[in-house]
């Protein structure tokens, strides 16, 4: 028998919504569901009649709200933007003070700040929660990044901890979950309160930006294996399988191995060779890059991964350009294949470190901008399981911030510093080899440029600032004076460009 009132409700029964609802019900919580298309509600309830917590279908928003225990907790999983606003507008007249609205979509953090403020003025509480892990994560254990009213999250915390992915407390390794096809109990949940108003959705956005970088780096490793070593997809798949047993152990490396080994059911050729080389995007990587520019935080590797997708999209132009624009002639690689594969591995790992360093620097700056108090060790910890970027590597980030919560940059942590010192010769070799062979490696090369720029005591920006002062009187600081004191020189008028008035 269903309880009189459900523990929580969910609006939006697309695949993510259905899977999250089933995850919640599997953990013993009764959940009410609503969808604008009522047939979808009826079908979903009929197909899932025997969950531990129970699923209650509702026909109208009014019935949905009435079915929930007070203070009501309602998850919205609809199209981000106007779709979310429309649902909130429909809910507000039906709610009582203290009710909790949870946006589980990929919302822009500034929208979350706006919504939280508007609902607070009406006596309602709002949580913007990042949900990462895709459809399987939603079903069996995602990484959850909630931000907003802390007291409201305390009332949601029991459910969020129950449905989140779990990792081993000592090793940080994910416990069986989505891969086993069943929910997990025990372990450390991949969910934690992130911070006020839009903090949860902001951290989820940066997560997605880092994800863009991870994926592009893997593609560049693949491109070098194929372009320089002439390796076939199944052989590359075996290499990635081996890499997944070491420092690069991660979900994305694991699925890359599976993809490369997969045959096309139609042609029986490697499926990866049949897939068209154009990549899509949903915008969160772009948001991360734009925000980095707005904040003045260097995040070139994340930005280059977005631009790589943009470049992939102009397929017809690239095909035409390939017939006109010529690069270096292909040369047969005569060195050690084993040594080069090891070098590619190191280039991938070093680039990954730099990409994450950029993401965490961006979050550090955002907390100053918005008055948040972010716990970077906990953020890395909840990314160890459930989410798309889950990786053994994240345990090292957790340990880095646990050892030094005020760490300015991951590159300064002893482990990451030692790792790059050991591997950077291989990293440089791979970038140089790619350039010599005309293979585009934007994330490998931008990560290396970031590393060299960050470690430089002096950059050529002194010349740049001289240029700015010359044509625009933007002033400059001096090396022999205190910082914050600005100067301008009267440059030779004869050498100035004549500007028509």
């Amino acid at each position: 028998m269903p309880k009189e009132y459900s523990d929580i409700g969910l609006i939006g029964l697309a695949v993510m919504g259905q899977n999250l609802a089933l995850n919640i019900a599997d953990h013993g919580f009764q959940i009410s569901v609503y969808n604008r298309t009522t047939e979808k509600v009826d079908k979903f309830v009929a197909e899932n009649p025997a969950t531990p917590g129970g699923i209650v279908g509702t026909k109208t928003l009014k019935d949905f709200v009435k079915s929930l225990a007070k203070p009501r907790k309602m998850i919205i999983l609809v199209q981000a933007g106007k779709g979310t606003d429309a649902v909130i507008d429909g809910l507000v007249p039906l709610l009582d003070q203290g009710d909790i609205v949870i946006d589980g979509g990929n919302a822009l953090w500034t929208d979350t700040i706006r919504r939280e403020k508007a609902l607070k003025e009406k006596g309602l509480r709002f949580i913007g929660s990042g949900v990462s892990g895709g459809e399987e994560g939603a079903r069996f254990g995602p990484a959850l990044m909630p931000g907003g009213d802390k007291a409201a999250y305390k009332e949601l915390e029991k459910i969020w901890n129950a449905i989140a992915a779990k990792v081993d407390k000592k090793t940080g390794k994910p416990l069986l979950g989505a891969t086993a096809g069943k929910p997990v109990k025990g372990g450390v949940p991949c969910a934690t309160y992130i911070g006020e108003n839009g903090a949860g959705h902001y951290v989820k956005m940066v997560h997605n930006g880092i994800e863009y970088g991870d994926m592009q780096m893997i593609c560049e490793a693949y491109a070098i294996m194929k372009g320089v070593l002439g390796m076939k997809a199944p052989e590359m798949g075996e290499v990635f399988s081996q890499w997944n047993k070491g420092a690069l152990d991660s979900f994305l490396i694991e699925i890359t191995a599976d993809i490369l080994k997969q045959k096309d059911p139609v042609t029986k050729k490697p499926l990866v060779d049949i897939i068209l080389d154009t990549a899509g995007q949903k915008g969160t990587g772009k948001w991360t890059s734009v925000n980095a520019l707005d904040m003045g935080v260097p995040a070139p590797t994340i930005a280059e991964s977005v631009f790589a997708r943009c470049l992939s999209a102009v397929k017809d132009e690239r095909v035409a350009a390939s017939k006109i624009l010529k690069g270096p002639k292909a040369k047969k690689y005569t060195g050690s294949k084993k040594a080069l594969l090891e070098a590619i591995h190191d280039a991938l790992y070093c680039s990954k470190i730099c990409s994450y360093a950029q993401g965490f620097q961006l979050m550090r700056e955002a907390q100053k901008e918005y008055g948040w108090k972010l716990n970077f060790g906990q953020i890395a910890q909840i990314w160890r399981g459930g989410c798309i970027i889950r990786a053994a590597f994240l345990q090292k980030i957790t340990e880095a911030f646990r050892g030094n919560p005020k760490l300015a940059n991951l590159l300064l942590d002893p482990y990451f510093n030692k790792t790059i010192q050991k591997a950077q010769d291989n990293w440089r070799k791979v970038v140089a080899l790619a350039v010599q062979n005309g293979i585009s490696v934007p994330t490998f090369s931008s990560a290396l440029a970031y590393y060299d720029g960050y470690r430089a005591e002096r950059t050529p920006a002194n010349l740049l600032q001289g240029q700015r002062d010359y044509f625009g009187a933007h002033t400059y600081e001096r090396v022999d004076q205190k910082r914050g004191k600005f100067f301008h020189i009267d440059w030779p008028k004869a050498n100035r460009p004549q500007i028509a008035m």
Side-chain angles (χ1 to χ4, degrees):
M1 279 290 292
K3 296 187 294 186
E4 184 178 1
Y5 297 108
S6 293
D7 302 297
I8 194 167
L10 184 142
I11 299 170
L13 288 176
V15 177
M16 280 289 288
Q18 290 186 27
N19 283 353
L20 195 65
L22 288 170
N23 187 356
I24 291 169
D26 278 348
H27 283 87
F29 301 102
Q30 182 170 299
I31 182 167
S32 293
V33 295
Y34 170 78
N35 196 82
R36 188 173 58 178
T37 309
T38 56
E39 291 83 356
K40 185 171 281 190
V41 175
D42 295 338
K43 186 172 183 287
F44 178 63
V45 173
E47 289 175 348
N48 300 281
T51 57
I55 300 171
V56 176
T58 59
K59 303 278 186 188
T60 66
L61 266 183
K62 188 174 182 179
D63 290 341
F64 171 78
V65 170
K66 282 184 175 180
S67 73
L68 302 175
K70 295 183 180 180
R72 304 176 180 97
K73 295 179 280 291
M74 297 146 282
I75 305 166
I76 300 173
L77 265 177
V78 300
Q79 187 175 17
K82 292 181 180 179
T84 301
D85 283 331
V87 171
I88 292 173
D89 289 344
L91 279 173
V92 166
L94 306 172
L95 303 181
D96 296 324
Q97 289 205 350
D99 285 348
I100 304 167
V101 178
I102 306 131
D103 179 6
N106 266 339
L108 186 63
W109 83 98
T110 50
D111 284 346
T112 303
I113 292 173
R114 168 179 59 80
R115 289 167 184 147
E116 197 258 0
K117 183 179 179 181
L119 291 181
K120 190 174 184 179
E121 290 172 353
K122 294 178 171 64
L124 302 172
R125 296 179 288 174
F126 188 74
I127 291 173
S129 181
V131 179
S132 180
E135 297 168 11
E136 285 293 300
R139 180 67 182 87
F140 299 110
L144 297 167
M145 294 154 257
D149 186 299
K150 193 169 185 178
Y153 178 65
K154 280 293 178 185
E155 298 187 39
L156 179 67
E157 188 173 26
K158 182 179 179 181
I159 298 175
W160 247 225
N161 283 347
I163 67 171
K166 310 296 190 300
V167 295
D168 184 87
K169 186 175 182 179
K170 291 183 179 179
T171 66
K173 290 185 177 180
L175 300 175
L176 291 177
T179 53
K182 58 183 180 181
V184 179
K185 294 182 180 179
V188 179
C190 294
T192 190
Y193 176 74
I194 300 296
E196 296 178 351
N197 48 66
H201 275 141
Y202 186 90
V203 168
K204 174 58 164 57
M205 176 196 74
V206 175
H207 163 286
N208 285 22
I210 290 171
E211 177 187 312
Y212 273 53
D214 273 354
M215 295 172 74
Q216 177 62 25
M217 288 172 209
I218 292 170
C219 291
E220 290 171 22
Y222 155 79
I224 297 168
M225 288 183 204
K226 184 177 181 180
V228 176
L229 292 173
M231 295 173 67
K232 303 298 183 185
E235 185 184 8
M236 288 187 274
E238 290 301 328
V239 171
F240 278 98
S241 289
Q242 287 301 312
W243 286 358
N244 199 46
K245 296 175 182 178
L248 287 173
D249 173 14
S250 68
F251 172 71
L252 285 170
I253 293 290
E254 178 186 348
I255 68 168
T256 298
D258 290 344
I259 292 164
L260 290 167
K261 294 174 188 176
Q262 177 66 44
K263 288 185 178 180
D264 174 36
V266 179
T267 64
K268 307 305 178 185
K269 295 177 180 178
L271 179 62
V272 72
D273 294 337
I274 302 300
I275 298 174
L276 188 69
D277 58 321
T278 59
Q281 56 177 306
K282 291 189 174 179
T284 44
K286 181 184 77 173
W287 292 350
T288 310
S289 302
V290 170
N291 182 244
L293 288 168
D294 288 340
M295 293 279 196
V297 176
T301 308
I302 294 171
E304 286 291 356
S305 67
V306 178
F307 290 138
R309 294 196 189 192
C310 295
L311 193 57
S312 79
V314 292
K315 173 68 175 177
D316 293 341
E317 284 186 47
R318 288 189 291 107
V319 171
S322 70
K323 296 176 173 59
I324 302 168
L325 306 177
K326 303 302 177 185
K329 290 183 179 179
K331 295 179 182 178
K332 185 177 180 181
Y333 184 72
T334 57
S336 164
K337 181 178 180 179
K338 182 180 179 182
L340 182 52
L341 286 173
E342 183 179 338
I344 297 169
H345 171 283
D346 289 350
L348 178 53
Y349 196 43
C350 289
S351 299
K352 184 182 180 79
I353 292 169
C354 287
S355 180
Y356 280 68
Q358 294 163 29
F360 277 87
Q361 269 199 314
L362 183 56
M363 290 189 286
R364 186 186 68 180
E365 192 62 29
Q367 74 171 349
K368 296 177 190 175
E369 179 76 15
Y370 295 103
W372 301 328
K373 293 181 180 179
L374 304 181
N375 186 320
F376 300 122
Q378 282 189 346
I379 289 169
Q381 181 174 290
I382 64 172
W383 288 352
R384 292 179 304 175
C387 66
I388 303 300
I389 64 171
R390 60 186 182 266
F393 158 88
L394 284 157
Q395 179 66 16
K396 296 296 184 183
I397 298 181
T398 299
E399 291 168 5
F401 283 109
R402 188 179 292 156
N404 181 6
K406 295 183 178 180
L407 183 66
N409 189 299
L410 282 177
L411 296 174
L412 303 177
D413 173 73
Y415 168 79
F416 292 116
N417 181 18
K418 183 179 178 180
T419 297
I420 288 187
Q421 295 313 310
K422 183 179 177 182
Q424 68 169 298
D425 284 349
N426 273 343
W427 186 13
R428 296 179 189 280
K429 174 184 175 181
V430 166
V431 171
L433 189 64
V435 171
Q436 289 168 354
N437 283 271
I439 298 171
S440 177
V441 286
T443 53
F444 279 10
S445 56
S446 67
L448 181 56
Y450 171 81
Y451 174 74
D452 284 338
Y454 189 71
R455 69 178 184 83
E457 183 179 354
R458 189 165 170 82
T459 73
N462 52 323
L463 176 58
L464 190 150
Q465 195 61 18
Q467 293 169 337
R468 295 183 74 240
D469 190 56
Y470 192 115
F471 66 69
H474 292 292
T475 73
Y476 54 86
E477 294 175 273
R478 295 177 59 93
V479 296
D480 54 2
Q481 299 288 332
K482 288 183 179 180
R483 293 294 307 273
K485 197 172 182 181
F486 294 89
F487 300 85
H488 167 68
I489 190 173
D490 288 329
W491 297 94
K493 291 182 179 180
N495 294 332
R496 291 186 186 176
Q498 297 300 309
I499 301 174
M501 300 298 288

